Amino acid sequence: MVEIKLDENEIRKVYREELDKHLKKLDNELLFWDTATLCKKTNLSINTIKELFFYDPDFKKFKVGNKWLYPADETKKFLLDWIERQ
């Protein structure tokens, strides 16, 4: 008879690490965020974003047609800097 013992905590740890890797990979595939993504990533409404930092000259954004696009990497860096100044 073969007996197999599994450490549930270790399984959870490995699962979380792999999930984080996968999510980072997906996130890195986006070159630009649209407004819906910006709202989702910050957990803020567009009205709150406009009140807090949208018009900050250091916040890079581009209007393409009727749509706003935000460079993903630069937006992440801006948001981390911005939140530390609050």
Side-chain angles (χ1 to χ4, degrees):
M1 180 166 102
V2 176
E3 185 175 320
I4 299 174
K5 293 184 180 184
L6 299 173
D7 181 353
E8 288 185 35
N9 290 328
E10 186 64 25
I11 292 171
R12 284 189 183 110
K13 179 183 169 193
V14 170
Y15 174 78
R16 286 183 185 144
E17 289 171 356
E18 291 302 315
L19 182 60
D20 284 344
K21 286 180 195 174
H22 181 68
L23 291 175
K24 285 179 184 178
K25 180 180 175 188
L26 287 176
D27 194 36
N28 287 336
E29 291 176 6
L30 293 177
L31 184 58
F32 295 102
W33 293 351
D34 61 5
T35 300
T37 303
L38 177 64
C39 292
K40 183 178 178 182
K41 297 283 188 180
T42 59
N43 201 28
L44 299 171
S45 71
I46 188 59
N47 290 333
T48 302
I49 288 169
K50 285 180 178 180
E51 288 175 22
L52 295 175
F53 60 81
F54 188 84
Y55 299 105
D56 184 314
D58 293 330
F59 181 61
K60 295 206 178 187
K61 57 197 168 291
F62 303 94
K63 190 156 188 176
V64 179
N66 292 329
K67 190 173 191 167
W68 283 101
L69 295 176
Y70 316 93
D73 289 337
E74 291 179 36
T75 302
K76 288 179 208 175
K77 289 174 189 171
F78 170 84
L79 290 169
L80 291 172
D81 291 339
W82 174 82
I83 197 70
E84 287 182 13
R85 293 182 300 211
Q86 302 309 304

